[in-house]
């Protein structure tokens, strides 16, 4: 389940229905998907796409997405920091950014034109569709791990256009992770 935080308002949203409503108001689709069959961590991209075909194929038809692939990022991925640096500065794309998280976590910050920046922390089972033209940036969480399905209308449209406002510098790329939802033990006297 995703977590949405609005740092400027001191607000956090953890309820799935509230997250869906909040993101929809900003034009962002949020869904939870479950696979048709269990997926091993070493499953091939083809196996992953087949396991989610029931959800992937209708979304591709609806959104005009023509290709789907699976990215796999690990702490030992070559040139990881350089790759991450491309997306951790505020940017926008000529096409939608569609990600379904299979494994790991990530943090999208979204900068709407008329309201405060908010962060969406995504994890396994979360589908997010950020519409073309939306100003945003992306970071991995501390474990530097994400495996995700990506859908593209045209991969050339997915080149980042940087805003160079520096706004991203004012937000810590901190993930709460599942532990955020674990109640702390009651203090002992
Ligand atoms: Fe992006």
């Amino acid at each position: 389940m995703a977590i949405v935080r609005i740092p400027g308002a001191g607000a956090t949203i953890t309820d799935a229905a509230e997250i869906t409503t909040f993101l929809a108001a900003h034009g962002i689709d949020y869904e939870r998907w479950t696979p048709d069959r269990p997926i091993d961590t070493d499953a091939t991209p083809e196996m992953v796409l087949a396991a989610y075909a029931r959800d992937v194929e209708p979304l591709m038809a609806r959104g005009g997405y023509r290709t789907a692939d699976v990215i796999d990022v690990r702490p030992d991925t070559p040139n990881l920091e350089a790759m991450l640096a491309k997306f951790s500065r505020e940017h926008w794309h000529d096409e939608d950014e569609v990600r379904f998280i299979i494994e790991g976590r990530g943090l999208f910050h979204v900068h709407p034109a008329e309201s405060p920046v908010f962060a969406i922390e995504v994890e396994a089972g979360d589908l997010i569709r950020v519409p073309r033209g939306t100003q945003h940036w992306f970071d991995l969480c501390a474990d530097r791990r994400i495996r995700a399905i990506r859908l593209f209308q045209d991969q050339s449209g997915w080149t980042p256009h940087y805003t160079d406002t520096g706004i991203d510098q004012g937000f810590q790329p901190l993930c709460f992770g599942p532990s955020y939802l674990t109640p702390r033990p009651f203090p002992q006297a």
Side-chain angles (χ1 to χ4, degrees):
M1 258 275 297
I3 300 169
V4 171
R5 276 173 285 136
I6 315 160
T12 301
I13 310 172
T14 56
D15 177 78
E18 287 180 30
I19 288 171
T20 305
T21 303
F22 175 84
L23 295 179
H26 292 283
I28 297 172
D29 291 341
Y30 172 71
E31 296 176 14
R32 291 282 302 168
W33 290 357
T34 49
D36 276 339
R37 65 203 82 158
I39 303 174
D40 291 335
T41 50
D42 58 355
T44 64
E46 293 72 24
M47 290 160 72
V48 170
L49 290 170
Y52 288 99
R54 182 185 57 198
D55 292 306
V56 168
E57 288 172 7
L59 180 58
M60 288 186 78
R62 210 162 66 232
Y65 306 111
R66 291 189 292 184
T67 58
D69 71 5
V70 177
I71 58 150
D72 205 329
V73 177
R74 298 168 185 275
D76 60 356
T77 295
N79 302 316
L80 177 60
E81 295 307 321
M83 185 174 93
L84 294 176
K86 285 172 64 178
F87 302 112
S88 62
R89 291 159 53 203
E90 187 182 54
H91 65 274
W92 53 278
H93 307 278
D94 291 317
E95 78 158 54
D96 301 345
E97 186 158 326
V98 187
R99 300 289 180 272
F100 173 73
I101 315 305
I102 300 155
E103 220 183 302
R105 307 180 71 80
L107 189 65
F108 286 91
H109 277 87
V110 176
H111 181 195
E114 306 291 342
S115 54
V117 169
F118 58 89
I120 313 162
E121 185 176 327
V122 290
E123 67 168 10
D126 290 327
L127 175 280
I128 187 167
R129 190 185 68 86
V130 179
R132 65 182 71 188
T134 303
Q135 291 176 204
H136 67 280
W137 62 97
F138 177 81
D139 293 281
L140 284 184
C141 298
D143 61 0
R144 294 284 197 258
R145 173 76 181 118
I146 202 160
R147 192 171 199 212
I149 296 174
R150 308 187 294 183
L151 304 185
F152 298 98
Q153 287 142 337
D154 176 353
Q155 290 202 17
S156 65
W158 198 63
T159 306
H161 301 291
Y162 297 106
T163 63
D164 291 326
T165 61
I167 188 170
D168 43 271
Q169 298 293 311
F171 293 86
Q172 289 291 323
L174 292 177
C175 299
F176 283 120
S179 62
Y180 176 72
L181 300 175
T182 306
R184 290 182 184 171
F186 197 77
Q188 300 295 307

